Amino acid sequence: MAHHHTPRRRRTVRRLQVTSAGMATGLLVTGLLAAPVHAQSHDPGTRAPIGAAARTAGDAHFEPGACPKTPEPVAALEGARCGTLTVPENRAEPGGRTISLGVAIVPAATGTPKPDPIVWLAGGPGDDAVGEAKMAVDGGLNRDRDVIFMSQRGTYSATPALTCPNIDAFNARAVGLIYDAPSTERLHVEATKACRDQLAGRGVDLGAYNDTESAADYADLRTALGIRQWNVFGISYGTHLALVSMREHPEGIRSVGIDGILPPSKAGSALTWSSARQGFDGLFKACAEQPACDRRYPNLSATFDRLVRDLEANPVTTTVTLPGNPKPVKVVLDGGALVNWMTSATHVAPQVPRALDELAHGKPQRIAQQWAGGKLSPQAMGRVAHGLAYGVFCSEWTPYESQARAIRGGQEAFPSFPRSVLAQAPQLTFLRPDCEVWNVPAAPRSIRDVTRSDIPTLALSGGFDAQTGADNGPYVARTLSRAKVVTVPYEPHVVFASSKCAQEITVSFFDDPAAPDTGCLNDLEPPRFEIGA
């Protein structure tokens, strides 16, 4: 989960790469064509694979066809059955515009698949599920079930795609600007408004890109594919959508896995501050418990807090070179930039103590290269659906969180931080002025309700997750009567992407939602932190 003007993993899973230290966007089927026992063809005497036939359900229509476009080839899609789901753009306007959502169904790897497939909900808001098929397959999710990927409305493989390359270009330029300066805010909001004006000029109903409509899209997909019952797996913002779907469209859901949990009832700036504190503290504690790291980098938390204050008062400017970019890149590091770097840097936790120590001793290049690499990476250009992101942020989050509450959340988590840093929550920089120019109606207050359900749920978190803190698992489980809460230690945001143990737990949960196998947790060890000279 992250605001798309910041370097994230991207917003759902924004991952810091160890090589270029840039953020990737989503990670994420191959298998043998199989015939699930519940997928009915038009001939009642035969069975057909899911997605093999055209089908209309209410206002939605599925049409088999070519696989959705992806920025790069995805080998996991080579054996997939594909097509498009056409749905109303705004269900409150019968007979209005329709939109098309790309669908890819990766067959189970076994010749005798289970009858209930898994549908994958991508993060962001704004990441494209189809491009994440590799992550699902690498994690074994299609071992004995088909896995269904559908582009959420507005995302890369949907029509229309609400990507705004001008925002991505500004993000790249912003590495050379003071992170939270008024002049940066002005340019940032100008980029947001230009994106809005461009999309509105194409006739897009910007108020129709939100959880309510997306949840209805997935409910329509299940019906249009003729699936009696399926399982839901959401990552990052996809957990937000999964929790809304459980509340609004519980029919046909056998079980739900949520990984990197973002509760709709708490989503907003205060939550990102709390999550950052938890993730940072988890990493600092792991270093303190490792003798070599503690000796070389004592009091790492205090060092980080001091660096934030010092850089906010006196920003550091440097230049770095990036892979594939022949020109040196100017980078400015101030307190806000350091906080946002750290939010993503938990994905490369072994490097963090050394990187902070280097910065404290006048060597900012490692952090500067990672900070710039995320924004200038090809994976950060033209792929995120900013129109969907703002549709969610500005209708469901900002109307129900005051600026005072947002600031208070930062003060509670980081009382020593300067007010200028606290004014811009990690991952959500300049969110309130952005939403003023985005100008969409507030969602009904019920969007902030907690989800109450008896659907079996696996609530997964990472001990180093600085984007959606691990305490969100117990929080959502309070009102989910059949929830299993699992925190995988030493792992960052979206543990399924990086932890073999998390993958084993997830697959075992879908096999038996009442008793997932968590035995692998007993064998996990902390990372070995890099020790500099």
Side-chain angles (χ1 to χ4, degrees):
M1 185 276 311
H3 185 19
H4 294 277
H5 281 339
T6 67
R8 160 190 87 83
R9 102 199 207 320
R10 261 186 47 220
R11 247 138 283 103
T12 101
V13 109
R14 276 218 207 261
R15 310 257 348 259
L16 207 63
Q17 318 241 334
V18 178
T19 50
S20 67
M23 303 256 217
T25 126
L27 314 148
L28 317 156
V29 282
T30 59
L32 305 174
L33 195 65
V37 299
H38 56 274
Q40 302 287 339
S41 74
H42 292 293
D43 179 352
T46 62
R47 305 284 183 181
I50 301 169
R55 184 174 177 136
T56 297
D59 292 329
H61 177 74
F62 176 77
E63 185 68 34
C67 286
K69 64 179 181 179
T70 56
E72 294 92 21
V74 178
L77 296 176
E78 288 176 3
R81 301 181 296 275
C82 298
T84 57
L85 183 76
T86 301
V87 296
E89 183 178 44
N90 187 335
R91 289 176 172 82
E93 297 181 2
R97 273 176 37 132
T98 60
I99 59 176
S100 297
L101 312 176
V103 177
I105 302 162
V106 173
T110 178
T112 56
K114 302 288 177 63
D116 44 291
I118 298 169
V119 63
W120 177 281
L121 305 185
D127 292 342
D128 191 86
V130 179
E132 296 179 340
K134 183 180 187 298
M135 183 198 290
V137 170
D138 287 352
L141 211 58
N142 73 318
R143 186 185 69 188
D144 49 18
R145 283 178 171 82
D146 291 358
V147 182
I148 302 169
F149 303 87
M150 181 173 76
S151 49
Q152 292 169 29
R153 52 176 50 214
T155 57
Y156 184 89
S157 62
T159 304
L162 308 192
T163 56
C164 285
N166 76 294
I167 287 180
D168 302 324
F170 173 77
N171 287 343
R173 174 187 171 196
V175 300
L177 305 176
I178 296 292
Y179 185 81
D180 50 21
S183 56
T184 304
E185 176 180 348
R186 176 177 55 80
L187 294 170
H188 181 115
V189 175
E190 284 178 2
T192 301
K193 186 176 186 302
C195 169
R196 188 205 192 281
D197 291 348
Q198 183 258 330
L199 295 177
R202 287 162 45 194
V204 174
D205 182 351
L206 296 174
Y209 291 80
N210 52 50
D211 281 88
T212 301
E213 293 285 2
S214 288
D217 294 340
Y218 281 95
D220 283 346
L221 176 67
R222 184 183 65 82
T223 305
L225 291 177
I227 298 170
R228 183 183 66 83
Q229 191 177 55
W230 66 9
N231 306 278
V232 175
F233 187 60
I235 62 168
S236 192
Y237 159 73
T239 68
H240 192 286
L241 179 55
L243 289 162
V244 171
S245 297
M246 292 168 72
R247 190 167 68 229
E248 297 191 359
H249 301 280
E251 59 281 358
I253 299 179
R254 171 181 175 264
S255 69
V256 175
I258 46 178
D259 177 2
I261 302 163
L262 182 61
S265 54
K266 292 175 65 177
S269 297
L271 186 67
T272 67
W273 281 117
S274 168
S275 295
R277 179 85 271 176
Q278 292 174 68
F280 299 173
D281 283 353
L283 191 156
F284 296 149
K285 182 173 184 287
C287 173
E289 291 175 347
Q290 198 168 108
C293 190
D294 189 45
R295 283 194 303 270
R296 180 65 182 81
Y297 309 115
N299 304 315
L300 198 58
S301 180
T303 298
F304 174 73
D305 283 8
R306 176 176 57 79
L307 283 169
V308 170
R309 296 192 301 272
D310 290 352
L311 287 174
E312 191 67 5
N314 297 290
V316 167
T317 300
T318 188
T319 58
V320 297
T321 56
L322 301 174
N325 194 329
K327 291 185 178 181
V329 176
K330 173 188 171 186
V331 179
V332 175
L333 294 177
D334 61 3
L338 185 63
V339 170
N340 278 268
W341 165 81
M342 183 68 183
T343 301
S344 296
T346 50
H347 287 279
V348 287
Q351 298 182 28
V352 168
R354 182 178 183 179
L356 289 173
D357 184 71
E358 289 176 355
L359 180 62
H361 289 87
K363 295 186 284 187
Q365 282 72 28
R366 183 189 299 258
I367 289 176
Q369 187 175 47
Q370 292 180 351
W371 176 239
K375 290 189 174 184
L376 277 73
S377 163
Q379 287 75 31
M381 300 294 165
R383 302 189 183 187
V384 171
H386 298 281
L388 175 59
Y390 285 122
V392 173
F393 295 152
C394 303
S395 70
E396 303 178 23
W397 296 11
T398 57
Y400 300 108
E401 180 184 56
S402 67
Q403 180 72 357
R405 175 68 191 105
I407 294 286
R408 190 162 66 251
Q411 292 170 332
E412 291 168 356
F414 296 95
S416 72
F417 281 6
R419 187 172 181 86
S420 56
V421 173
L422 296 176
Q424 307 303 334
Q427 311 175 72
L428 299 172
T429 316
F430 305 126
L431 179 60
R432 198 161 293 274
D434 278 342
C435 284
E436 288 175 2
V437 299
W438 202 254
N439 191 27
V440 291
R445 181 167 287 276
S446 60
I447 199 68
R448 305 287 291 190
D449 289 349
V450 297
T451 296
R452 302 180 185 278
S453 176
D454 61 0
I455 297 172
T457 304
L458 175 66
L460 278 171
S461 299
F464 288 177
D465 189 346
Q467 292 168 266
T468 57
D471 70 353
N472 290 334
Y475 171 79
V476 298
R478 297 179 314 161
T479 54
L480 302 174
S481 63
R482 299 169 69 188
K484 173 71 173 178
V485 177
V486 175
T487 297
V488 183
Y490 320 122
E491 292 293 338
H493 185 56
V494 182
V495 293
F496 188 89
S498 56
S499 166
K500 185 60 67 176
C501 180
Q503 295 165 1
E504 293 173 3
I505 293 170
T506 302
V507 173
S508 74
F509 167 76
F510 288 123
D511 281 347
D512 183 0
D517 183 357
T518 59
C520 60
L521 294 171
N522 299 324
D523 300 323
L524 300 180
E525 296 182 354
R528 190 155 299 280
F529 293 98
E530 293 182 11
I531 306 298

